[in-house]
Amino acid sequence: MFKWGLFKKDLSDTGLPAELKAQINSLHTKYPGTDRVVLVMDQLCRVIREQKEELEDHVRQVKALDQQLDQNRRAKNFQADLLTSMCDEIQAPVHTLNQLGDWLDQTHLDPNQRLGFNFYRKTARKLSDLFNHVIDVAKLREGTLQPDPIAFHLNEVVRETMQLLNLTAQEKGIPLTVRINPDVPQYLIGDIKRLEQILISLINNAIKFTYEGEVQVQVQLAADEGSECTLNFLVQDSGVGLPENHIHTLFDRLSQGDPDVERNYGGTGLGLYICKCFVEQMGGRIWAENRPEGGALFGFSIRFEKGSMEETEDALLSLSQLTLTEAPVSHQDVDEDQPAGSAVSPPADAETPNGNSHKMKILVVDDCPDTCRLIEKFLEAGPYEVHVVHDGLAALESYDQGGYDLILMDIQLPQLDGVGATMEIRNKESRQAAAKTPIFALVGDPGEDNDGYYLAGDFDRCLIKPVSKGDLLEAIQTLHRSR
């Protein structure tokens, strides 16, 4: 409220322009009391000016904050781009180490060499696990890791996962058992890759922290809702248990529950965080608790659509036609003594797609020399003649020379990428009415719809890098059988 009694008739101390003061004094002579009104107006102008200055100050602060946020966003995008670029560069050498281990495992090693090789291989796999965790976290942050539901048989998935880890448990003398309740539906539709990854991570943790007793996996029906059902997966161990004051942070990023865990057991603390993200992405929940009889229990619940035998068979048929396997999980990642590439080996008298016993002529197109050398090593013992080039234009020149029974085409190539090179080859075949040469795409970073994308690009099959010897030979043998 303005205090009228405080206003003066003298306008000399107001902030009004001199010309306006003169006009007001003239008006005051004619109309007494005008000065009081003008003083009030002047006071209001002062208040408005002060508020305007405050508002302008706020605007400046908002602009500065917006600039800071923009800088933070650019820095965050730079970090994401840098991480993606580094992962692309690191992926090839990391996986080459593992594939080199597969090849060395088939050579004759004396006991000392075998001891050193086993140490090398375990170290390489730890590096590979860390790399895969970083990739998963990066994809989760970018929102590019989306569910990929397919039909599957639950009993087979769980038991195959247990078989992958059974040797690890046997090395510690720990029984690894599974119980699937009879009322659990067997034919389901869900993200089988993520389910396997969650189970492997939790079971691995249970084995790592258990020195006696057993590790048990149990699957229960939590809810049956017609066309859908909710299942509880419980991983129980008799190990060291969980610190009560850290249980609520176990699934946080980089958390390991106790400061001594990293020193005593190793690990990055990313595994449980990734499990939590996968479970929540599939609409479920995950938890951990101590068991009354000792040890820990990790559980998660996920809702699945109910499937059928026919849908599962169709899904298996689709997978057999297009090899889309993730690199981090394979049977070779568990068995330290069994040759990793021995699952599928070509017979000495294997026939080529043309039906004769001559060597199959294969063109490998990849800009990574290490990848090319490994593929050559994988195929050197079989009836194969391998030629290598490192860019798309060179691939076209080699194709023009003719006579290839199979082309293994990397996607990201210098000069001309793999998709462009393949399309050009298909155009040449069409113009010349020539027989179609089988071309397998070698994909380094598979996306959600790469199968349809690469098939639309006239590839015959898609193999996820790094390609193991078993996967490569299986794909070639499937090609033999289909032609």
Side-chain angles (χ1 to χ4, degrees):
M1 294 292 294
F2 294 107
K3 298 181 180 179
W4 290 80
L6 297 178
F7 290 119
K8 302 176 182 179
K9 294 182 180 180
D10 183 9
L11 302 179
S12 61
D13 62 343
T14 65
L16 298 176
E19 184 180 350
L20 182 58
K21 290 179 183 178
Q23 293 178 357
I24 292 173
N25 287 330
S26 174
L27 290 173
H28 176 63
T29 304
K30 296 181 180 180
Y31 307 100
T34 306
D35 58 337
R36 186 180 296 271
V37 175
V38 173
L39 287 170
V40 172
M41 293 174 60
D42 178 67
Q43 185 72 5
L44 290 174
C45 287
R46 290 175 187 269
V47 173
I48 291 173
R49 281 196 298 271
E50 291 175 357
Q51 291 181 343
K52 179 185 177 183
E53 290 174 357
E54 290 181 5
L55 181 60
E56 290 175 344
D57 186 55
H58 285 309
V59 170
R60 285 191 294 270
Q61 292 178 10
V62 170
K63 287 182 177 179
L65 181 60
D66 187 60
Q67 291 176 354
Q68 184 63 45
L69 290 174
D70 186 57
Q71 291 177 1
N72 291 342
R73 281 193 294 268
R74 287 199 298 269
K76 199 171 184 180
N77 291 336
F78 172 76
Q79 291 176 354
D81 293 342
L82 179 62
L83 178 61
T84 301
S85 177
M86 289 178 61
C87 287
D88 290 341
E89 293 299 322
I90 295 172
Q91 184 181 42
V94 165
H95 291 314
T96 298
L97 291 174
N98 284 313
Q99 298 304 328
L100 179 61
D102 292 345
W103 173 68
L104 288 173
D105 200 11
Q106 300 173 65
T107 62
H108 297 289
L109 302 175
D110 62 38
N112 286 334
Q113 290 172 331
R114 174 63 60 179
L115 183 64
F117 167 75
N118 287 340
F119 176 74
Y120 155 81
R121 196 166 198 187
K122 289 180 180 179
T123 303
R125 284 174 180 164
K126 287 181 180 179
L127 179 61
S128 181
D129 289 342
L130 174 60
F131 173 76
N132 291 324
H133 281 161
V134 171
I135 288 290
D136 286 338
V137 171
K139 289 182 177 180
L140 287 167
R141 289 183 63 183
E142 294 172 1
T144 58
L145 201 61
Q146 300 299 324
D148 183 22
I150 62 171
F152 65 94
H153 189 275
L154 178 67
N155 192 298
E156 292 181 2
V157 169
V158 173
R159 295 192 182 279
E160 286 176 3
T161 303
M162 299 288 282
Q163 288 175 4
L164 289 175
L165 301 169
N166 193 46
L167 285 176
T168 305
Q170 287 179 359
E171 289 177 355
K172 297 185 68 173
I174 301 170
L176 184 59
T177 61
V178 59
R179 171 179 170 79
I180 301 177
N181 289 1
D183 58 346
V184 173
Q186 290 300 305
Y187 295 102
L188 303 170
I189 299 175
D191 193 333
I192 182 176
K193 295 178 184 177
R194 303 293 170 247
L195 175 60
E196 288 175 338
Q197 195 165 345
I198 296 166
L199 285 172
I200 288 173
S201 182
L202 295 182
I203 297 171
N204 257 330
N205 263 5
I207 295 173
K208 180 167 68 173
F209 290 100
T210 301
Y211 290 97
E212 59 182 7
E214 67 172 358
V215 173
Q216 183 184 73
V217 178
Q218 187 171 2
V219 185
Q220 303 171 340
L221 177 64
D224 191 341
E225 304 169 356
S227 61
E228 295 183 340
C229 64
T230 300
L231 302 184
N232 286 343
F233 296 82
L234 307 177
V235 179
Q236 307 173 76
D237 64 62
S238 54
V240 297
L242 305 170
E244 291 290 345
N245 58 329
H246 290 292
I247 289 180
H248 66 287
T249 63
L250 277 176
F251 298 101
D252 293 345
R253 187 166 50 188
L254 302 180
S255 172
Q256 292 180 307
D258 189 280
D260 293 330
V261 168
E262 183 177 359
R263 181 173 62 253
N264 294 332
Y265 299 97
T268 62
L270 288 173
L272 292 178
Y273 167 73
I274 293 172
C275 287
K276 174 177 178 287
C277 292
F278 285 165
V279 170
E280 292 180 348
Q281 190 179 52
M282 291 187 284
R285 68 182 186 91
I286 190 169
W287 68 92
E289 60 189 45
N290 282 313
R291 303 173 64 198
E293 61 271 34
L297 180 149
F298 283 82
F300 64 96
S301 63
I302 299 178
R303 177 177 293 182
F304 297 95
E305 291 183 40
K306 292 182 181 178
S308 64
M309 181 184 298
E310 292 76 14
E311 291 173 316
T312 303
E313 291 175 349
D314 290 342
L316 290 174
L317 180 61
S318 298
L319 288 175
S320 67
Q321 293 173 344
L322 186 70
T323 303
L324 282 171
T325 52
E326 295 284 354
V329 179
S330 70
H331 289 277
Q332 299 133 357
D333 289 343
V334 178
D335 192 343
E336 295 290 344
D337 299 317
Q338 180 182 355
S342 62
V344 181
S345 56
D349 59 346
E351 292 186 347
T352 69
N354 297 325
N356 55 54
S357 58
H358 296 297
K359 286 192 173 184
M360 182 179 189
K361 195 174 179 181
I362 299 176
L363 176 63
V364 179
V365 188
D366 198 301
D367 60 337
C368 178
D370 292 337
T371 298
C372 295
R373 282 193 289 268
L374 275 173
I375 291 178
E376 288 181 296
K377 287 295 182 183
F378 289 161
L379 300 178
E380 67 180 1
Y384 309 112
E385 179 184 338
V386 181
H387 296 254
V388 173
V389 295
H390 300 297
D391 64 72
L393 293 180
L396 295 181
E397 293 177 3
S398 297
Y399 170 79
D400 288 338
Q401 297 174 5
Y404 287 104
D405 301 301
L406 172 65
I407 299 175
L408 302 178
M409 182 77 73
D410 187 24
I411 296 302
Q412 296 189 6
L413 294 169
Q415 304 296 330
L416 178 66
D417 66 21
V419 175
T422 300
M423 292 178 65
E424 184 60 31
I425 289 173
R426 296 305 184 213
N427 289 336
K428 290 184 178 184
E429 291 171 343
S430 178
R431 291 193 299 267
Q432 300 168 6
K436 184 177 178 182
T437 302
I439 303 178
F440 292 173
L442 303 179
V443 186
D445 186 16
E448 290 302 314
D449 296 320
N450 274 353
D451 52 351
Y453 174 78
Y454 292 120
L455 286 179
D458 282 326
F459 289 96
D460 295 272
R461 190 160 181 166
C462 179
L463 298 174
I464 302 306
K465 296 170 64 178
V467 182
S468 69
K469 181 177 181 179
D471 288 339
L472 179 58
L473 294 178
E474 186 276 332
I476 293 175
Q477 288 188 352
T478 300
L479 175 64
H480 287 178
R481 292 191 294 267
S482 64
R483 293 174 68 87

